[in-house]
Amino acid sequence: MAEGEPSYIDYEAFLDPDFSPASFANSLVVATNNATDTPLDLSTPLSRVLFDLQEIDTHIHTLTTKSALPLLTHTRDQTTAAGHILKEAEEQVSSVTQGYERLEKEVLLKWEAADEVRIATEKSLATVRLSRAVARCLTLGRQLEGQLAEVTGRGGLADGAASPSPGRDDYRALERAASTIVSLRRMFTATGPGEEGHGLERVKVIRTLRSELLIPAENMVKSRAQQAINRFTMSTQSSYKQARDARARLGSATTVLYLLSPIPKDLSSASDFQPELLLSTLQGYMHTAVMSSLNALSRSLSMLPTLDKTLAEISTKCQDLFALESILAGLRPPSHPLFPPTPTPEPQSQGGNKNNLLQPLLSTLDASSLPSHFWRALASSLTSRVQEIINRGGVSARTLRSNRDRLKKDIKECVLRGSQLPASTDKGRMGIDSGTKGNWEREAAVMVSAVASVLDR
């Protein structure tokens, strides 16, 4: 409809997006009829709708006729512009395609070739690293075989102390073998792709080396070191050389068990490392000393004529523990192949150095000293043994009661005699720390009370 041309048709209502034909028809019917009439007159609203439709159709025809040429011209211009844009776009697409083909030829194909070279290089590098790791393992394996042959060929610790005084080098050979075992163990525990030893489990010869050499060697070295500690004694050595060799055996055995002790994965620093294998072996040595002394003393309390000999043996056992404590107090933790080197501490006064192998053992036992732990552990179990003898009655019980004063004196002397270093040790020449002199009267009182508390009832 031309602007300003009058029209009775409400075009705005028809063009409204919310226009509803049903509502529009209803409004026409209501406008041309009385709501109270029963038959509705639909001819009038129908004529109105038909007239409106004819008017709208005429209006559309008029507008189309007048605007045909501009519409066609606009359509032609749009088509021409679209064709021009399409042509330019095709030229650009063709240029991009040619550029991609050139890049594909000059870059992509070369990159694919380079990537193949990279993959081949990485595989070659992994092969070289694995070959080096295999070669190092085989070298360490041959070195370990030589060290084991060095030990077993000499006797010493490897064959159950076949000779009474094996050379000092035999102990050092065990230490070297333990260090080699730790180095091999480190190769086998590599996890990351860049770590030395990664992938060794795939090599058959390495699996054979591990099962047939490393594991048996570790068990043998561990067993000989534990055997050296379990057989440790200073009280029975009659010369300085024998005492020195006993100390050397103990020092090497502790080093071996320290190195072979498992390392926790969550270990924060080397100073927090607790050598479980060494500590358990030393605890076993302590337990054996206590139990053998307890059993021997229980038998002797039933047969008093053998008591003097038994008390002498018990005192020598405690002297061995005193010597063990003194030696451990002078031994620093050895350098571990898997730990960074620690700086050497400044010299300290005698007995003041806490960085030794004695402190972890005392912490594990929750004791102030090994002799004190020995006497108190022995006393804690002795009371029940004496009570058993008294409960059985008979000659043994009467003899114990009649000799209780002598028994108290002998036990006290046994404690005081046992709480000192063996006479064969030369502390100055052997570098043994005599430690802090303790008040052993308290331990003597504990031992005497373990017996007297039953006999004095």
Side-chain angles (χ1 to χ4, degrees):
M1 180 177 181
E3 186 177 355
E5 183 179 348
S7 176
Y8 70 92
I9 298 178
D10 187 5
Y11 288 101
E12 296 297 333
F14 288 114
L15 296 176
D16 189 351
D18 296 330
F19 174 76
S20 172
S23 299
F24 179 74
N26 184 66
S27 63
L28 285 179
V29 172
V30 172
T32 58
N33 286 273
N34 191 345
T36 60
D37 294 340
T38 302
L40 294 177
D41 181 15
L42 298 181
S43 59
T44 301
L46 180 59
S47 299
R48 172 70 182 274
V49 171
L50 292 177
F51 184 80
D52 289 346
L53 289 176
Q54 183 178 3
E55 182 67 18
I56 293 172
D57 182 66
T58 302
H59 186 61
I60 292 174
H61 178 74
T62 302
L63 290 176
T64 304
T65 302
K66 291 180 179 181
S67 305
L69 185 59
L71 288 174
L72 292 175
T73 302
H74 178 72
T75 303
R76 182 193 62 194
D77 293 342
Q78 292 294 322
T79 303
T80 303
H84 180 71
I85 293 173
L86 179 60
K87 181 180 179 181
E88 292 294 330
E90 288 178 348
E91 291 178 357
Q92 294 297 326
V93 170
S94 177
S95 177
V96 171
T97 302
Q98 292 176 0
Y100 175 80
E101 291 175 352
R102 183 174 65 256
L103 289 175
E104 183 180 22
K105 181 178 180 182
E106 296 180 358
V107 177
L108 184 59
L109 296 179
K110 291 182 179 179
W111 178 86
E112 291 177 350
D115 191 55
E116 292 179 359
V117 174
R118 178 187 62 81
I119 295 174
T121 303
E122 290 178 351
K123 291 181 178 179
S124 299
L125 179 60
T127 302
V128 170
R129 287 178 176 173
L130 184 59
S131 299
R132 288 179 179 176
V134 170
R136 175 165 171 74
C137 283
L138 294 178
T139 301
L140 290 173
R142 181 172 297 179
Q143 177 178 307
L144 180 59
E145 284 184 329
Q147 291 163 345
L148 295 179
E150 185 180 358
V151 175
T152 56
R154 285 179 177 159
L157 296 178
D159 56 6
S163 77
S165 300
R168 186 181 296 267
D169 289 341
D170 293 324
Y171 319 133
R172 301 304 181 193
L174 269 185
E175 294 181 34
R176 292 192 295 271
S179 181
T180 303
I181 290 171
V182 172
S183 298
L184 278 169
R185 186 192 293 172
R186 177 179 58 183
M187 299 287 291
F188 292 131
T189 55
T191 56
E195 295 184 21
E196 184 183 17
H198 176 69
L200 280 174
E201 67 281 355
R202 296 176 293 173
V203 183
K204 182 178 179 180
V205 66
I206 298 301
R207 294 198 299 268
T208 303
L209 181 146
R210 184 176 186 178
S211 61
E212 297 184 5
L213 175 62
L214 178 61
I215 295 177
E218 182 174 353
N219 292 335
M220 187 273 287
V221 172
K222 185 191 305 180
S223 172
R224 299 313 175 190
Q226 291 173 329
Q227 185 182 83
I229 290 180
N230 292 332
R231 293 183 176 184
F232 170 75
T233 178
M234 278 284 194
S235 57
T236 59
Q237 309 302 334
S238 58
S239 65
Y240 162 72
K241 183 179 183 300
Q242 290 180 342
R244 182 196 63 185
D245 289 342
R247 182 186 185 282
R249 281 194 295 271
L250 178 66
S252 293
T254 56
T255 298
V256 168
L257 296 180
Y258 183 94
L259 295 177
L260 296 183
S261 295
I263 301 177
K265 294 182 179 180
D266 56 350
L267 184 67
S268 57
S269 64
S271 60
D272 297 331
F273 175 59
Q274 293 293 317
E276 294 182 5
L277 186 58
L278 172 60
L279 295 178
S280 63
T281 303
L282 291 173
Q283 284 181 276
Y285 179 81
M286 292 286 299
H287 179 73
T288 300
V290 172
M291 294 308 299
S292 61
S293 299
L294 177 63
N295 294 332
L297 185 56
S298 299
R299 289 193 298 269
S300 295
L301 290 176
S302 299
M303 298 179 292
L304 280 185
T306 64
L307 182 62
D308 291 340
K309 179 181 178 182
T310 299
L311 291 177
E313 292 174 351
I314 293 175
S315 65
T316 59
K317 287 183 184 295
C318 188
Q319 287 181 358
D320 287 336
L321 292 178
F322 204 110
L324 174 66
E325 179 180 82
S326 301
I327 294 173
L328 292 178
L331 293 177
R332 295 185 60 236
S335 58
H336 201 291
L338 303 184
F339 296 156
T342 55
T344 303
E346 297 180 0
Q348 303 183 33
S349 61
Q350 187 177 21
N353 184 12
K354 299 301 183 181
N355 186 25
N356 54 44
L357 294 178
L358 175 62
Q359 292 305 315
L361 178 59
L362 293 180
S363 298
T364 302
L365 296 174
D366 192 19
S368 59
S369 70
L370 299 187
S372 176
H373 177 78
F374 172 78
W375 293 122
R376 291 177 182 275
L378 183 58
S380 65
S381 301
L382 183 59
T383 300
S384 60
R385 298 292 183 95
V386 176
Q387 187 65 56
E388 290 176 3
I389 297 174
I390 297 300
N391 291 340
R392 286 198 301 267
V395 177
S396 298
R398 292 194 298 271
T399 304
L400 273 182
R401 290 188 182 277
S402 61
N403 290 274
R404 58 177 172 270
D405 293 334
R406 174 203 161 194
L407 187 59
K408 295 177 184 179
K409 178 182 177 182
D410 291 346
I411 290 177
K412 180 178 181 180
E413 291 179 353
C414 173
V415 174
L416 298 179
R417 184 172 59 250
S419 301
Q420 58 185 340
L421 286 173
S424 62
T425 58
D426 188 336
K427 298 185 289 296
R429 295 177 65 188
M430 295 181 60
I432 293 180
D433 182 7
S434 59
T436 304
K437 297 197 177 292
N439 182 12
W440 303 110
E441 293 289 341
R442 185 175 302 172
E443 276 65 28
V446 171
M447 280 292 295
V448 171
S449 175
V451 177
S453 61
V454 178
L455 299 180
D456 292 344
R457 292 174 185 173

